[in-house]
Amino acid sequence: MKVISTIAELRKVLDEHRAAGKTIGLVPTMGALHNGHASLVERSVADNDITVVSIFVNPTQFNDKNDLRNYPRDLKADCALLDKVGADIAFAPEVEEMYPEPDTRVFSFAPLDEVMEGPFRPGHFNGVAQIVSKLFYAVEPHRAYFGEKDFQQLAIIREMVRQLSLSLEIVGCPIVREQDGLAMSSRNMLLTAEERERAVKISQTLFKSLEIAVNNSLAYTKAYVEDAMNSTEGFRLEYYQIVDGNTLQPIENWEDSSYIVGCIALFCGNIRLIDNIKYKEEK
Ligand code: PAF
């Protein structure tokens, strides 16, 4: 696997592949890779001739300086994992390479970015759109792969592709969970042993809520999840929203949509975790 740190070299290598008729898949990441990322890479390797994985902790999407400072970084371990799962290129630029000058572009994804993460992480999705669009321009992939754990991000990236009239395909991939059900996340490694044990309650509650939803109203099911999180010591719930899976707008009744997802964000100690569950699958 090649490790490349400049856009110029990346373009040169990819232009050669394109000239030879090869298809290119991109998996954008912020590193600290785990099996969730590995599943995205494996999917790209299966779908494309060449798979590029970007590893870049993007400063413009962090609304909290401490979160940016503490975000886990381990390029050597990341490259070892990528080698194992068959990636062709790791693109690991420095901040100056991606942002030679401040990116002043302002995106609007309303109403998709006005709910859930939006109010809690001001500027976050603008930063995501800045870096992901730059990566799309640099790599010009045929397909790009994103995990459904970041459910709102995936919807916003699809909307960005629509707004910018880009021609690549966005592929959403299912959440990968630890054996006990915790959604895989680079942030999990920041949890203390006690917090890690406690964190399993998030997915347990979401799965239990699927059963509760069968015979109860949406409001009752939502309150069940909120109560379970609020009554767990060490948790601080930011939101639990049950939304239409396409518009991301909260709904009030199970009959209001044919695609329904519950999205949660909370602090477990000092670590912010997100997860989601589908009450009705997309048709
Ligand atoms: O989901 C992530 O890891 C990041 O938000 C992304 C898409 C790589 C952009 O920095």
Side-chain angles (χ1 to χ4, degrees):
M1 186 188 66
K2 258 189 159 58
V3 182
I4 295 179
S5 62
T6 67
I7 295 174
E9 190 189 348
L10 181 66
R11 283 209 172 111
K12 188 164 164 283
V13 171
L14 291 177
D15 280 350
E16 281 164 21
H17 287 305
R18 258 187 294 269
K22 304 257 166 93
T23 55
I24 297 166
L26 169 67
V27 183
T29 82
M30 298 206 298
L33 303 179
H34 48 68
N35 285 341
H37 295 111
S39 75
L40 302 180
V41 177
E42 281 163 353
R43 177 77 195 273
S44 174
V45 168
D47 291 352
N48 303 283
D49 298 316
I50 300 293
T51 290
V52 181
V53 180
S54 61
I55 298 174
F56 181 68
V57 181
N58 172 40
T60 70
Q61 72 186 72
F62 284 81
N63 54 312
D64 174 346
K65 284 205 171 62
N66 282 331
D67 192 20
L68 173 60
R69 193 174 318 119
N70 297 332
Y71 200 85
R73 293 161 170 89
D74 189 345
L75 184 59
K76 212 165 140 214
D78 288 346
C79 289
L81 183 143
L82 293 180
D83 230 0
K84 219 168 79 187
V85 291
D88 301 284
I89 298 171
F91 175 53
E94 295 294 333
V95 172
E96 297 70 32
E97 181 69 12
M98 296 315 291
Y99 296 107
E101 65 273 330
D103 191 336
T104 54
R105 288 175 302 160
V106 178
F107 293 83
S108 171
F109 303 113
L112 296 176
D113 56 357
E114 292 176 336
V115 292
M116 302 195 285
E117 297 291 284
F120 285 99
R121 303 190 70 189
H124 169 67
F125 288 122
N126 203 63
V128 169
Q130 287 177 341
I131 192 60
V132 173
S133 58
K134 277 175 181 269
L135 290 168
F136 286 174
Y137 294 138
V139 176
E140 294 182 52
H142 296 82
R143 301 183 186 89
Y145 296 80
F146 295 88
E148 287 186 345
K149 184 172 78 69
D150 295 280
F151 192 79
Q152 190 172 8
Q153 168 173 278
L154 177 57
I156 283 174
I157 287 168
R158 287 191 201 282
E159 171 61 12
M160 181 190 81
V161 165
R162 194 194 65 78
Q163 287 183 8
L164 300 177
S165 308
L166 301 175
S167 67
L168 77 165
E169 181 191 347
I170 300 297
V171 183
C173 301
I175 297 178
V176 179
R177 297 184 180 278
E178 301 286 355
Q179 272 200 334
D180 64 4
L182 178 67
M184 286 194 185
S185 163
S186 304
R187 289 193 162 88
N188 292 352
M189 66 177 78
L190 301 173
L191 297 167
T192 64
E194 199 185 321
E195 287 164 353
R196 172 64 188 81
E197 228 171 82
R198 192 174 290 150
V200 70
K201 186 145 185 212
I202 305 166
S203 56
Q204 278 173 350
T205 304
L206 293 181
F207 284 118
K208 180 78 188 158
S209 80
L210 284 181
E211 294 169 27
I212 293 194
V214 175
N215 291 316
N216 292 283
S217 68
L218 187 150
Y220 183 92
T221 307
K222 181 169 184 282
Y224 165 78
V225 173
E226 288 169 341
D227 290 348
M229 297 297 100
N230 287 329
S231 61
T232 303
E233 204 193 310
F235 278 3
R236 182 160 55 81
L237 179 65
E238 286 200 328
Y239 63 80
Y240 183 58
Q241 291 286 340
I242 300 182
V243 301
D244 177 288
N246 290 313
T247 66
L248 304 188
Q249 301 311 295
I251 53 170
E252 286 177 5
N253 300 294
W254 295 125
E255 299 72 39
D256 289 351
S257 171
S258 57
Y259 180 26
I260 301 182
V261 185
C263 298
I264 193 164
L266 58 79
F267 277 91
C268 178
N270 290 322
I271 308 306
R272 191 171 186 278
L273 301 174
I274 60 172
D275 198 350
N276 63 73
I277 194 101
K278 289 182 182 158
Y279 293 101
K280 285 191 195 173
E281 296 276 348
E282 188 175 25
K283 297 231 170 71

